[in-house]
Amino acid sequence: MVDYHAANNQPSGGPQTYMEQENDWDRDLLLDPAWEKQQRKTFTAWCNSHLRKAGTQIENIEEDFRDGLKLMLLLEVISGERLPKPERGKMRVHKINNVNKALDFIASKGVKLVSIGAEEIVDGNIKMTLGMIWTIILRFAIQDISVEETSAKEGLLLWCQRKTAPYKNVNVQNFHISWKDGLAFNALIHRHRPDLIDYESLRKDDPVTNLNNAFEVAEKHLDIPKMLDAEDIVNTARPDEKAIMTYVSSFYHAFSGAQKAETAANRICKVLAVNQENEQMMEDYEKLASNLLEWIRRTIPWLEDRTQQKTVNDMQAKQEDFRDYRTVHKPPKVQEKCQLEISFNTLQTKLRLSNRPAFMPSEGRMVSDINSAWHTLEGAEKGYEEWILSEIRRLERLEHLAEKFHQKAAIHESWTNGKEAMLTQKDYETSTLSEVKALLRKHEAFESDLAAHQDRVEQIAAIAQELNELDYYDSASVNNRCQKICDQWDTLGTLTHSRKDSLERTEKQLESIDELYLEYAKRAAPFNNWMEGAMEDLQDMFIVHNIEEIQGLIAAHEQFKSTLPEANKEREAIQAIQAEVQKIAQSNGIKLSGANPYTTITPRSIDDKWEQAMAMVPQRDKALQGELNKQNSNDTLRATFAKQANVVGGYIQAKMEEIGRISIEMNGTLEDQLTHLREYQQTILFFMPEINTLEGYHQHIQEALIFDNQYTSYTMEHLRVGWEQLLTTIARTINEVENQILTRDAKGISQEQLYEYRASFNHFDKDHTGSLIAEEFKACLISLGYDVENEKQKRSGQMASDDFRALLISTGTSLGDAEFTRIMSIVDPNNSGAVTFQAFIDFMSSETTDKDSADQVIASFKILAGDKNYIMADELRRELPPDQAEYCIARMAPYTGPDGVPGALDYMSFSTALYGESDL
C-alpha cells in the first residue's frame, strides 16, 4: 500500500514536495455532503477534460475507475508517458493489479499516498477515490505552477491576486469564499480575453449570473469544461477549496502563454529599475559635486584676500570671522566631501554588479578634481590664518612704535621749545666781561645738553623709519613730524655754532668766571639729563610675549633702582655747590642776580624732577608685576592646551594605526565586520567632546595673543587635519565592507571565497597600505590559479571552476603581458599604479559568476512583442508599470526594419544601449 500522507508531510524544501501540508487530503471534510458533491462534479469534469483526448470519458467517478483501465489511461494522457500494459481480465485480481500499476506510477513521480490502496479503489470507496484524484490533480496540474519564487497553492493564489488586482469588487484571499460572487472568475477571463466579457455590466449582488457567465464563456471559448455548479457554490457557506483550485488551475494553464509574457515584463522592469536608480545616483552625485565645487570656488577668493587693516581690533574681527568659518561653515562641507566619495564608490560598485559601464562624471567633477580643489582650499586656508597672525603681530608692533614715537617727539619738542629764540638773542653785546664769560659758560653747558639730546633725535628718526618699513597706515603724519624735528635740530645746531663763535670773539675782552657756578652748571646739566632719561625710561611702554622677556625687564629695573643711592649723593653734592655759592656771596657782600649765569637748571627743578622720578618707581614696579602675572597666566594656558593636545594627538595616532590593523586582521562574516566597524566608529565619535575642549583652549590661546608653545609639538591645525583623516578613514573602511557585501550578495560569492581572496590580498600587501602594486597584484592572481591562456575558455563557460583552477595550477604558466594589461585597465582605470581590495573583489567576482546580458533583455522584449522584431507603445504600457513603460517609450528609437509598421519601436538597440554597447 502506498504511503500518501508521508509524501505530504515532507519538509517544504525537499525535492519531492509539491504542496504545503495545509493542502493534505482531509477525509473528515468529505463528511460534508455539499463539499463531496462539488468534488464529484469538479473532479469528474477535470478527468473528462483529459480523457476526451483519448476518445473516452467517465460518468460515475467511483465506478468507472474500479477496473483500473481508465485510471491508467488518464495517467498516460496527463503525463505523456506509457504505463505497463493493463490486464484485460474481469476478475477482481486483474482489477487490483491494474489499479496498483496506476498507483505505482503515481509513486514513481515522488508522491506517497497514505491509506489509499488498490482494494479500496476497486471496491468503489468514494472517499479514497476522490483523495486519489485530488493527489493526481496536485501532482500534474498544480505542482509545477510557480510565480515569483512561490509554488503550488501559494503560486496559484499569487497569480490570481496579481491578475485580478485592477478589478473593482475583487479581493482574492483564498480558494473558497473569495470566489462565491463569480466576479473573480470573470476578472480572470477579462484580464486575458477582454473581448469575451463585459465586466462593467456585472453586478456583485447577482452571483449566480456571474458564475454561469464565467463557466459558459470558459467552456465555449477557452475549452475549459464546466466543473462547478453555480447554485452549489452560492448555497454553500464555504465552497470546497479543492474544487475551486482544480477549476482555477485550468485557467492558469489556459493562460500560461500570458504568464510567460508577465515573466518577461518582470525581467525588463528589473533591468529598467536598476538603470533608473543608477541614473538618479549619477544626477545626485553631479549636483552634490557641483554645489561643493561652487562653495570652494566662492570661499577661496575670500581666503586669498590680503586687504590690510589699520588696527589690531580690525584684524581680530577678521580672525573671529575665520574662526566662525572653521567651526560653523567648513565642518558640513567636510561631511559632504566624505559622502560624495562614498556615493561615488557605491555607484561604481552597483554599475559593475549590474554589468553596466563605469560612471564617468562630467568634466571637472571627478573625485580627483574635488580632492584637488579641496587641497587648494586648505592651502589658502592655512595661508590666510598665517597672514592674520602675522598682521596682528605687525599691527601690535606698529601701535607700540607709534605711541613710543609720539611720546619721544613730545618730550623733544618740549625741550626745544624756545631754544631758537635763546640762541638768536644778542644779549652779549651789552653785557659786561663777567656776563659774557657767564654767557659763554652757559652756552657750553647748552652744547653739552644739546649733545645729550642727540641720541633722542636719532631714536625718533629710527622709530619713524621702522614705521615706514612696517607700512604704518599713518606714516605720512609721522614723517611730517619727524622731518620737522630733524629740520629744527639742524637749525639748532647751526644757531649753536653761530652763537658760540660770537661769544668766543668777545671772550678776550671779558674775564670774570664764577668757577663755582660753572662747576654747578656742568654737574647739574648731565644729572638733569640723567633724571629726564630715567623718567622717560620709567614711563616707557613695553610689550613682551613670554616670562623670560618680562623677567629681563624686571631685572633691568632692579638694576636701575640699585643706582638710586649714588644718584641721590650726586644730587646732594650739586645742591651743596649752590649752597656754597650763597655762602661766598654773603661773606663777600656780592649781590646775586638770583640766577646761575651758566645754566637754567635750578636746585628747585632738580628736586622736583627727583621727586617725580621717585614717585614713578613704584608705578613701574606695579606695571612690571602686572605683566609678570599676565605672562604666568599665559604660560598656564600653554600648559593646559599642551596637555590636552598631547592626549588628542596620541589618541588620533593610535586610532589610525588601529584602523590599519583592523582592516587587515578582520575576522567573522562581513556583517559581523560591518557591525564591529560601525561600533568602532561610534567609539571614535564619543571622543568628539575632547576635540571641542581642545578647541576651547585654542580659542583662549589666540585671544591671549600667544603665538608659541614650548610644551607640545602639536598645533591645532595638525590635530584638525588628523581628526578629519581619522573620520574619513573609518568611513571609507565601512564603505569597503558594504561594497563587499553588495558584491557577495549580487554575485553569489561564498564567505569562504571572500576569506580566500582577503587572505591572498593581505599576503601580498607587504607594506599594509590596503592596495597592491602591479607586480604584487599579478603574483596574487597567479596564487589563485588565474591564467591568461585558459581565461577565454573559462569565461565562455566551457570549464567548471574547480577543473579550471586545477588546470591552471598543473600548467604552472603565468599571465601574458597583453592579458595582464587588459586586467589592469579593469581594476585600475585611472592608471594610479595601485589595485584596491574592492577592485580586486569586483574583478574576481566578474570572472567567476554569471552576468545579465543584452541578449537576455532582447529575448524578454521579444516575448512581450509576440515574437516580432519590434514592439508597440501600447504593448509596453499594457505589460510594464506606467513609469517604466514611459521610460522605454521615451528612449526607444523608431523601428526601421522592412517588416515595421507605423509607431513601431526598436527594442533591440535599446537593450544593447542599456549595457553600454551603443548610445541611446
Side-chain angles (χ1 to χ4, degrees):
M1 187 173 296
V2 181
D3 186 357
Y4 164 75
H5 278 291
N8 286 319
N9 287 331
Q10 288 183 358
S12 61
Q16 306 293 333
T17 301
Y18 54 87
M19 290 293 290
E20 296 293 332
Q21 186 173 355
E22 64 180 72
N23 292 324
D24 289 350
W25 180 257
D26 190 340
R27 289 162 181 77
D28 294 336
L29 295 178
L30 289 179
L31 296 177
D32 187 333
W35 284 18
E36 181 177 328
K37 178 181 177 182
Q38 292 177 18
Q39 289 185 12
R40 279 174 176 269
K41 183 172 183 178
T42 301
F43 291 179
T44 299
W46 184 86
C47 292
N48 285 333
S49 69
H50 293 286
L51 287 173
R52 67 184 179 183
K53 298 175 183 178
T56 185
Q57 63 179 8
I58 61 173
E59 298 294 334
N60 190 318
I61 195 167
E62 69 268 27
E63 291 295 328
D64 293 348
F65 286 137
R66 291 179 61 184
D67 60 1
L69 295 177
K70 289 188 178 182
L71 179 60
M72 294 179 67
L73 181 60
L74 174 64
L75 291 173
E76 287 185 344
V77 171
I78 62 179
S79 70
E81 301 180 21
R82 296 289 298 176
L83 272 66
K85 186 177 180 181
E87 297 179 12
R88 296 296 180 178
K90 301 296 184 178
M91 299 179 64
R92 177 180 175 82
V93 66
H94 297 141
K95 296 179 181 181
I96 291 174
N97 289 340
N98 288 337
V99 173
N100 273 329
K101 290 177 181 179
L103 296 179
D104 290 341
F105 178 79
I106 295 173
S108 70
K109 297 303 179 182
V111 180
K112 294 184 178 180
L113 304 171
V114 176
S115 301
I116 299 179
E119 293 83 357
E120 295 167 313
I121 303 301
V122 172
D123 292 338
N125 187 319
I126 184 59
K127 292 194 297 183
M128 297 305 171
T129 302
L130 291 175
M132 177 188 67
I133 297 303
W134 173 242
T135 301
I136 293 173
I137 292 172
L138 287 176
R139 173 60 181 83
F140 294 99
I142 299 177
Q143 173 184 346
D144 295 331
I145 294 176
S146 177
V147 178
E148 293 189 358
E149 300 181 358
T150 61
S151 61
K153 178 182 177 181
E154 289 78 9
L156 184 60
L157 183 61
L158 178 60
W159 178 79
C160 295
Q161 290 171 340
R162 293 188 58 184
K163 293 301 181 181
T164 61
Y167 293 87
K168 63 181 181 180
N169 297 327
V170 177
N171 182 19
V172 178
Q173 298 296 328
N174 49 57
F175 286 107
H176 35 84
I177 60 175
S178 295
W179 304 82
K180 286 189 66 174
D181 58 9
L183 292 178
F185 290 108
N186 284 276
L188 279 179
I189 298 173
H190 185 269
R191 177 63 185 271
H192 298 89
R193 292 290 304 275
D195 56 311
L196 300 179
I197 297 289
D198 182 9
Y199 186 83
E200 296 300 326
S201 66
L202 301 177
R203 303 198 322 272
K204 186 176 180 64
D205 59 355
D206 191 5
V208 174
T209 301
N210 297 339
L211 289 167
N212 284 327
N213 181 66
F215 298 160
E216 290 169 4
V217 170
E219 186 174 34
K220 180 178 179 181
H221 298 283
L222 304 178
D223 199 26
I224 299 175
K226 185 177 181 181
M227 301 182 185
L228 300 171
D229 185 84
E231 288 72 19
D232 291 344
I233 294 176
V234 172
N235 296 329
T236 303
R238 186 175 185 269
D240 180 65
E241 185 179 65
K242 298 174 179 62
I244 298 294
M245 285 180 63
T246 302
Y247 188 53
V248 171
S249 69
S250 299
F251 284 90
Y252 176 88
H253 292 293
F255 298 134
S256 60
Q259 180 66 23
K260 292 180 180 178
E262 181 179 350
T263 301
N266 288 339
R267 174 182 286 273
I268 293 173
C269 289
K270 181 178 180 181
V271 172
L272 295 179
V274 170
N275 219 58
Q276 289 172 314
E277 181 182 2
N278 291 341
E279 288 181 358
Q280 185 61 47
M281 290 187 69
M282 294 176 189
E283 291 177 4
D284 293 344
Y285 173 89
E286 291 282 348
K287 181 178 180 181
L288 186 58
S290 298
N291 293 341
L292 183 58
L293 288 171
E294 176 61 20
W295 178 81
I296 293 174
R297 184 190 66 78
R298 294 196 314 269
T299 304
I300 287 178
W302 177 69
L303 293 174
E304 292 177 343
D305 180 23
R306 297 295 186 269
T307 303
Q308 293 183 343
Q309 303 299 311
K310 294 181 179 180
T311 65
V312 174
N313 290 336
D314 292 340
M315 284 307 300
Q316 287 176 336
K318 274 185 171 291
Q319 186 180 42
E320 188 63 29
D321 292 342
F322 179 71
R323 185 179 295 115
D324 186 65
Y325 155 79
R326 292 292 292 270
T327 58
V328 177
H329 300 290
K330 184 183 177 184
K333 299 303 177 182
V334 173
Q335 182 63 29
E336 288 180 12
K337 176 176 176 291
C338 179
Q339 183 60 42
L340 194 68
E341 294 180 5
I342 292 174
S343 298
F344 180 82
N345 293 335
T346 302
L347 174 59
Q348 297 293 38
T349 299
K350 288 186 176 181
L351 289 173
R352 285 192 293 269
L353 295 178
S354 59
N355 199 25
R356 301 301 196 275
F359 169 54
M360 289 297 294
S362 57
E363 184 176 356
R365 292 183 176 88
M366 292 288 291
V367 173
S368 58
D369 296 327
I370 294 171
N371 287 335
S372 177
W374 191 265
H375 180 72
T376 303
L377 173 72
E378 290 184 330
E381 180 179 305
K382 181 179 179 182
Y384 188 70
E385 184 176 28
E386 292 174 351
W387 174 74
I388 287 177
L389 296 177
S390 175
E391 279 296 289
I392 290 176
R393 295 191 189 100
R394 183 182 71 83
L395 291 174
E396 185 181 37
R397 173 67 175 165
L398 283 175
E399 289 183 359
H400 170 70
L401 288 175
E403 186 173 354
K404 190 172 183 179
F405 170 84
H406 290 299
Q407 183 187 58
K408 288 183 176 291
I411 293 173
H412 176 77
E413 288 167 347
S414 176
W415 178 82
T416 59
N417 185 32
K419 293 296 189 293
E420 288 188 26
M422 182 194 72
L423 292 172
T424 57
Q425 65 182 342
K426 305 295 185 178
D427 55 339
Y428 56 84
E429 293 179 352
T430 59
S431 298
T432 64
L433 178 61
S434 60
E435 291 173 341
V436 171
K437 287 183 178 292
L439 290 175
L440 184 60
R441 300 298 182 270
K442 181 180 179 181
H443 187 74
E444 290 175 352
F446 173 77
E447 284 183 321
S448 178
D449 197 11
L450 185 68
H453 280 77
Q454 176 68 33
D455 182 61
R456 180 181 292 112
V457 174
E458 291 175 353
Q459 290 178 9
I460 291 172
I463 294 173
Q465 179 64 27
E466 187 171 359
L467 288 171
N468 279 275
E469 291 174 353
L470 293 176
D471 197 22
Y472 181 53
Y473 78 96
D474 198 19
S475 296
S477 64
V478 170
N479 291 337
N480 289 335
R481 191 172 187 180
C482 181
Q483 187 63 45
K484 289 180 180 179
I485 291 173
C486 291
D487 292 344
Q488 185 186 41
W489 185 256
D490 293 338
T491 300
L492 288 176
T494 301
L495 292 175
T496 299
H497 182 71
S498 176
R499 182 174 177 80
K500 183 178 181 180
D501 290 342
S502 298
L503 289 173
E504 287 178 346
R505 282 195 304 268
T506 59
E507 186 181 16
K508 295 178 182 180
Q509 302 172 0
L510 301 174
E511 297 177 349
S512 181
I513 298 176
D514 190 339
E515 293 292 339
L516 203 55
Y517 270 151
L518 183 59
E519 182 181 0
Y520 174 87
K522 288 183 177 180
R523 295 184 67 174
F527 183 75
N528 183 70
N529 189 60
W530 174 85
M531 285 194 298
E532 289 180 350
M535 293 170 65
E536 182 178 342
D537 289 341
L538 290 171
Q539 298 177 77
D540 189 22
M541 302 294 294
F542 56 84
I543 178 172
V544 295
H545 297 95
N546 52 57
I547 294 177
E548 290 75 11
E549 292 179 3
I550 188 59
Q551 288 176 341
L553 290 177
I554 292 174
H557 183 61
E558 293 297 325
Q559 177 65 30
F560 165 75
K561 290 195 294 184
S562 68
T563 64
L564 291 180
E566 289 295 326
N568 190 41
K569 291 180 181 179
E570 177 66 13
R571 181 185 66 82
E572 292 174 348
I574 293 172
Q575 297 292 39
I577 293 174
Q578 181 64 25
E580 184 66 20
V581 169
Q582 296 294 336
K583 180 180 178 181
I584 293 174
Q586 291 176 2
S587 61
N588 294 289
I590 299 175
K591 186 179 179 180
L592 299 176
S593 61
N596 191 323
Y598 303 114
T599 181
T600 59
I601 302 173
T602 66
R604 179 66 180 173
S605 67
I606 291 176
D607 288 341
D608 290 343
K609 288 183 179 180
W610 178 261
E611 292 175 359
Q612 293 176 13
M614 293 303 99
M616 291 179 183
V617 170
Q619 296 176 3
R620 185 71 169 182
D621 288 335
K622 182 178 180 181
L624 291 174
Q625 186 60 41
E627 184 63 28
L628 178 62
N629 294 337
K630 175 183 176 183
Q631 291 303 321
N632 284 329
S633 175
N634 288 350
D635 204 54
T636 301
L637 284 177
R638 290 188 183 94
T640 302
F641 174 83
K643 180 179 179 181
Q644 183 70 5
N646 291 334
V647 171
V648 171
Y651 178 84
I652 292 175
Q653 182 176 359
K655 291 302 178 182
M656 288 294 289
E657 294 173 355
E658 191 171 339
I659 291 174
R661 292 195 302 272
I662 290 175
S663 62
I664 296 175
E665 301 172 359
M666 287 190 296
N667 296 316
T669 65
L670 291 176
E671 287 75 7
D672 291 341
Q673 295 175 19
L674 183 61
T675 300
H676 175 68
L677 285 172
R678 285 174 174 164
E679 292 174 351
Y680 189 77
Q681 183 186 42
Q682 195 61 37
T683 62
I684 292 177
L685 293 177
F686 286 153
F687 194 73
M688 189 63 192
E690 299 297 328
I691 301 294
N692 295 335
T693 299
L694 187 62
E695 287 284 1
Y697 294 157
H698 181 64
Q699 181 174 350
H700 295 327
I701 287 286
Q702 289 189 328
E703 291 172 351
L705 300 178
I706 299 173
F707 305 110
D708 58 354
N709 195 334
Q710 70 273 26
Y711 298 114
T712 181
S713 61
Y714 292 109
T715 66
M716 196 65 230
E717 175 63 25
H718 293 157
L719 294 175
R720 289 192 190 108
V721 172
W723 180 250
E724 292 172 0
Q725 289 177 346
L726 177 62
L727 296 180
T728 301
T729 299
I730 187 63
R732 286 175 177 167
T733 305
I734 290 173
N735 180 246
E736 178 182 329
V737 176
E738 290 174 339
N739 287 339
Q740 291 178 32
I741 293 175
L742 283 175
T743 301
R744 180 199 66 191
D745 294 342
K747 297 298 185 177
I749 299 177
S750 66
Q751 191 73 34
E752 291 73 15
Q753 285 178 301
L754 285 175
Y755 283 153
E756 180 183 6
Y757 293 157
R758 169 57 78 179
S760 298
F761 188 91
N762 289 344
H763 174 75
F764 290 98
D765 184 14
K766 304 297 185 182
D767 52 2
H768 304 298
T769 61
S771 61
L772 303 179
I773 62 174
E775 291 303 319
E776 292 174 341
F777 176 59
K778 186 174 184 180
C780 184
L781 287 180
I782 294 175
S783 73
L784 291 172
Y786 188 96
D787 182 71
V788 68
E789 301 299 329
N790 297 288
E791 181 59 23
K792 189 177 296 183
Q793 181 180 12
K794 174 177 179 288
R795 290 200 302 270
S796 64
Q798 298 175 4
M799 187 178 299
S801 177
D802 293 340
D803 295 339
F804 171 72
R805 177 173 292 186
L807 173 61
L808 297 180
I809 295 174
S810 64
T811 58
T813 57
S814 60
L815 289 169
D817 292 340
E819 175 64 13
F820 185 66
T821 301
R822 180 190 72 82
I823 295 172
M824 285 300 294
S825 69
I826 295 173
V827 299
D828 184 20
N830 295 326
N831 295 321
S832 64
V835 180
T836 64
F837 180 69
Q838 184 59 44
F840 170 66
I841 287 294
D842 291 341
F843 172 74
M844 294 305 296
S845 63
S846 66
E847 295 296 314
T848 57
T849 57
D850 293 333
K851 307 174 183 175
D852 288 336
S853 67
D855 291 341
Q856 291 177 323
V857 179
I858 290 173
S860 297
F861 272 118
K862 193 161 189 176
I863 292 175
L864 297 187
D867 287 333
K868 301 189 298 292
N869 291 327
Y870 58 84
I871 193 167
M872 305 301 292
D874 290 343
E875 292 173 329
L876 289 171
R877 292 190 177 102
R878 184 177 67 244
E879 299 296 342
L880 300 181
D883 60 332
Q884 295 184 341
E886 297 305 323
Y887 178 86
C888 293
I889 294 170
R891 287 164 172 76
M892 283 187 180
Y895 180 71
T896 58
D899 55 340
V901 298
L905 300 176
D906 186 354
Y907 61 78
M908 293 186 182
S909 61
F910 173 76
S911 301
T912 304
L914 285 178
Y915 288 84
E917 300 176 16
S918 66
D919 294 329
L920 282 175

